[in-house]
């Protein structure tokens, strides 16, 4: 059955035309409006509106009346996909804070401090095609977090978004009433006067893995243990707003090794899965965990899609052997997507989410970020170790085309998170 939500604009306008014909159709039309309004407040609409037509016919688990989502104070214009749009230059309102003003940015992301000669990447605003984003209101965000926990869980890219969120909020707090502490995998920013915390938990696969040490995790032979999400998940319980990501660590370029037993087993039971199947297993674990542990009446859960890297300039028609190094303009081809794995992983996400009953709001940041080859930290960051003369002679060889300068692109991810939290 086709539901009102999957109606295209043309089908609703044909309803309108019919509505002029008879009272019966008038009634149908208003019933449709009421039904669509109710459905619209559901999280599923966020996910389903971004799926292609084939997945829209998947039977929705909760097509019944439901109260509005926690934290929402309004709604985005119907039919507007905030993730579909374009970048516009906005020197007036961006960046949302200065690099030097936010002491919480790790030195791997402070590009100006590390010699980046220009600031163009800081001035872009995301403009959805169908509507405008609400402006980020730090007061509203902090008031909402009063007495609450907001937690980001995932890898270093999610840590970047976490730090961006802290930078967006900390100015409202006096020096003595805020702190940031790290203990192992958990970093906690406390806003004392608000009794609020914004936290980051390092779990690059969400499940237990041999890369879980928050400091020493550069393992080439990666191993993830099946069914082990509670190992980390116990630290996420009680969060009011959760933001997950996981992607890059699954991308080994080879089949992925999954541990069936325990890391302590003398003879390890290991199976190899395709990247997509391994990732699917991780996604399903996350969704199951959310269903069992998060109360949809009180909490919100977000999942951020893949953060794209820019390792090969031939991908966007640049000169051979280049990467994001020395890139100060974005990719202008609106259909640019990048690697094929990104496409197949997006497909896995779409499949898994469309079958899921977990109310997770999807932050589809991949496409809008894929244009931003100008926004990476490149060589303008604190290096982990000294560079060799060969490297220094060839900056392309050590440019970081994965992570993003702050302020910058990841502030936009939080503007989108803000939009989806308050205006779903
Ligand atoms: C931001 O949110 C606060 C608290 O809800 C509100 O009082 C204020 O008017 C908002 N500011 C803007 C510019 O909308
Ligand atoms: C502070 O927030 C926590 C939840 O994060 C809550 O359990 C506690 O009761 C709050 N304390 C006060 C004094 O409001
Ligand atoms: C750090 O975390 C460990 C384990 O979670 C805990 O036992 C320890 O007390 C914590 N240390 C501090 C200083 O909070
Ligand atoms: C950086 O790019 C500009 C053109 O955008 C080029 O003129 C310059 O030679 C490049 N610099 C390096 C060091 O590659
Ligand atoms: C995310 O957005 C891209 C580009 O708009 C789209 O191709 C993709 O299908 C979306 N993914 C999901 C799972 O909705």
């Amino acid at each position: 059955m086709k539901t009102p939500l999957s109606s295209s604009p043309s089908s609703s306008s044909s309803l309108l035309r019919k509505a002029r014909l008879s009272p019966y159709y008038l009634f149908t039309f208003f019933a449709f409006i009421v039904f669509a309004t109710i459905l619209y407040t559901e999280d599923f609409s966020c996910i389903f509106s971004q799926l292609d037509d084939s997945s829209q016919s998947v039977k929705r688990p909760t097509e019944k009346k439901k109260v509005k989502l926690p934290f929402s104070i309004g709604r985005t214009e119907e039919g507007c996909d905030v993730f579909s749009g374009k970048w516009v230059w906005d020197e007036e309102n961006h960046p949302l804070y200065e690099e030097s003003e936010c002491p919480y940015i790790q030195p791997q992301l402070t590009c100006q401090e590390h010699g980046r000669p220009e600031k163009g990447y800081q001035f872009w605003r995301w403009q959805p095609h169908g509507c405008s984003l609400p402006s980020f209101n730090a007061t509203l965000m902090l008031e909402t977090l009063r007495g609450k926990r907001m937690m980001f869980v995932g890898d270093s890219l999610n840590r970047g978004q976490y730090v961006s969120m802290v930078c967006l909020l900390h100015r409202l707090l006096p020096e003595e009433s805020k702190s940031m502490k790290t203990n192992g995998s958990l970093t906690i920013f406390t806003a004392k006067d608000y009794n609020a915390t914004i936290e980051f938990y390092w779990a690059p696969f969400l499940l237990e893995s041999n890369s879980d040490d928050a400091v020493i995790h550069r393992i080439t032979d990666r191993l993830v243990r099946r069914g082990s999400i509670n190992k980390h998940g116990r630290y996420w319980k009680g969060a009011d707003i959760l933001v997950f990501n996981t992607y890059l660590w699954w991308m080994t370029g080879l089949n992925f090794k999954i541990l069936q037993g325990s890391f302590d087993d003398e003879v390890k039971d290991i199976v190899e899965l395709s990247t997509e199947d391994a990732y699917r297993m991780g996604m399903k674990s996350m969704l199951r965990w959310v269903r069992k542990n998060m109360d949809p009446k009180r909490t919100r859960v977000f999942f951020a899609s893949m953060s794209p890297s820019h390792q090969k300039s031939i991908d966007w028609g640049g000169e051979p052997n280049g990467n994001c190094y020395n890139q100060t303009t974005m990719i202008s081809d609106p259909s640019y997507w990048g690697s094929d794995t990104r496409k197949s992983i997006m497909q896995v996400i779409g499949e898994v989410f469309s079958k899921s009953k977990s109310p997770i709001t999807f932050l589809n940041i991949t496409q809008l970020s894929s244009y931003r080859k100008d926004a990476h930290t490149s060589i303008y960051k604190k290096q982990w170790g000294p560079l060799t003369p060969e490297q220094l002679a060839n900056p392309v060889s050590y440019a970081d085309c994965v992570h993003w300068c702050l302020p910058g692109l990841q502030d936009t991810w939080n503007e989108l998170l803000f939009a989806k939290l308050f205006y779903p």
Side-chain angles (χ1 to χ4, degrees):
M1 189 198 78
K2 270 243 166 190
T3 64
L5 244 192
S6 56
S7 302
S8 63
S10 64
S11 64
S12 55
S13 67
S14 73
L15 254 175
L16 241 179
R17 255 179 274 121
K18 283 178 195 163
R20 285 191 212 102
L21 297 179
S22 80
Y24 169 74
Y25 277 115
L26 205 60
F27 171 77
T28 316
F29 178 60
F30 283 114
F32 160 74
I33 298 276
V34 170
F35 187 29
T37 310
I38 292 163
L39 272 177
Y40 195 80
T41 58
E42 290 192 42
D43 237 351
F44 296 99
S45 64
C46 310
I47 297 161
F48 279 89
S49 63
Q50 286 144 30
L51 298 173
D52 60 25
D53 280 328
S54 61
S55 44
Q56 284 195 348
S57 57
V58 174
K59 192 167 156 9
R60 221 81 49 76
T62 51
E63 283 172 12
K64 53 177 183 269
K65 193 175 159 178
K66 207 174 138 188
V67 288
K68 77 177 178 58
L69 287 174
F71 306 113
S72 81
I73 58 171
R75 32 186 273 209
T76 299
E77 265 172 69
E78 194 150 344
C80 176
D81 175 5
V82 292
F83 305 106
S84 166
K86 61 176 187 206
W87 288 101
V88 295
W89 185 257
D90 176 23
E91 237 172 313
E92 217 165 290
N93 301 306
H94 287 77
L96 298 173
Y97 54 88
E98 292 295 329
E99 182 185 294
S100 55
E101 252 171 42
C102 185
Y104 306 102
I105 311 175
Q106 57 272 48
Q108 284 77 33
L109 305 181
T110 49
C111 297
Q112 293 298 314
E113 188 191 352
H114 291 90
R116 181 153 178 173
E118 37 72 49
K119 280 189 173 176
Y121 63 93
Q122 297 185 357
F123 297 110
W124 296 97
R125 173 172 67 79
W126 181 248
Q127 176 63 58
H129 289 311
C131 54
S132 281
L133 287 181
S135 16
F136 189 92
N137 183 337
T139 310
L140 174 60
M141 190 75 214
L142 264 179
E143 284 300 336
T144 303
L145 291 178
R146 200 177 274 281
K148 298 206 154 53
R149 285 174 78 193
M150 177 177 202
M151 193 176 216
F152 291 77
V153 176
D155 61 23
S156 58
L157 290 149
N158 208 30
R159 191 201 301 264
Q161 186 174 358
Y162 162 71
V163 171
S164 156
M165 180 59 85
V166 171
C167 291
L168 287 164
L169 300 179
H170 89 101
R171 261 178 310 176
L172 296 181
L173 306 165
E175 209 50 56
E176 64 282 3
S177 81
K178 59 190 171 190
S179 65
M180 189 189 267
K181 294 204 175 75
T182 297
N183 177 12
S185 296
L186 190 60
T187 299
I188 303 181
F189 176 83
T190 306
K192 224 193 293 167
D193 298 345
Y194 287 81
N195 184 33
T197 59
I198 307 173
E199 311 180 20
F200 171 74
Y201 187 96
W202 169 262
F205 294 100
L206 306 181
L207 282 73
E208 182 182 12
S209 78
N210 60 357
S211 307
D212 287 344
D213 188 297
V215 183
I216 308 151
H217 47 236
R218 298 193 155 197
I219 311 273
T220 44
D221 206 12
R222 294 172 197 166
L223 199 55
V224 169
R225 189 177 140 228
R226 193 189 284 277
S228 62
I229 198 160
N230 287 326
K231 162 105 185 181
H232 300 309
R234 59 193 156 132
Y235 297 102
W236 316 334
K237 287 185 187 174
D240 298 281
I241 300 172
L242 263 175
V243 184
F244 289 109
N245 93 327
T246 184
Y247 165 61
L248 206 58
W249 287 71
W250 299 91
M251 299 302 117
T252 55
L254 302 165
N255 277 348
F256 202 92
K257 294 201 177 72
I258 302 292
L259 176 66
Q260 312 264 34
S262 142
F263 275 101
D264 298 329
D265 292 347
E266 234 162 86
V267 182
K268 291 192 172 49
D269 178 6
I270 291 171
V271 291
E272 287 195 23
L273 296 181
S274 70
T275 304
E276 287 79 6
D277 285 344
Y279 191 82
R280 182 179 289 109
M281 179 209 71
M283 285 287 100
K284 285 185 171 169
S285 287
M286 176 188 75
L287 293 170
R288 205 176 310 122
W289 186 90
V290 168
R291 210 163 57 236
K292 283 191 180 155
N293 295 282
M294 298 297 283
D295 176 1
K297 291 201 225 37
R298 217 177 46 74
T299 66
R300 291 286 296 277
V301 182
F302 296 86
F303 179 77
S305 60
M306 309 84 80
S307 172
S309 6
H310 293 88
Q311 312 278 18
K312 283 189 290 181
S313 43
I314 44 167
D315 288 349
W316 57 86
E319 284 173 21
N321 307 322
N323 55 20
C324 72
Y325 170 68
N326 197 26
Q327 298 295 319
T328 55
T329 57
M330 66 178 83
I331 294 167
S332 54
D333 173 7
S335 66
Y336 177 76
W337 180 254
S339 90
D340 283 342
T341 340
R342 246 176 258 160
K343 204 169 279 178
S344 60
I345 291 292
M346 188 61 98
Q347 220 158 15
V348 171
I349 295 174
E351 281 163 27
V352 174
F353 273 73
S354 69
K355 287 183 200 140
S356 155
K357 290 181 191 157
S358 306
I360 298 191
T361 303
F362 185 51
L363 299 176
N364 192 352
I365 49 91
T366 306
Q367 178 81 60
L368 63 98
S369 307
S370 71
Y371 305 131
R372 297 300 309 274
K373 65 180 166 62
D374 61 313
H376 290 287
T377 53
S378 183
I379 62 169
Y380 308 110
K381 60 181 281 190
K382 184 179 181 196
Q383 302 298 332
W384 292 104
L387 297 164
T388 64
E390 290 77 26
Q391 283 177 312
L392 285 168
N394 180 19
V396 167
S397 69
Y398 70 98
D400 177 344
C401 300
V402 171
H403 298 97
W404 312 95
C405 302
L406 283 183
L409 172 68
Q410 293 192 293
D411 304 321
T412 298
W413 298 2
N414 279 322
E415 292 181 276
L416 289 158
L417 173 60
F418 179 91
K420 283 290 182 189
L421 181 62
F422 293 111
Y423 305 91

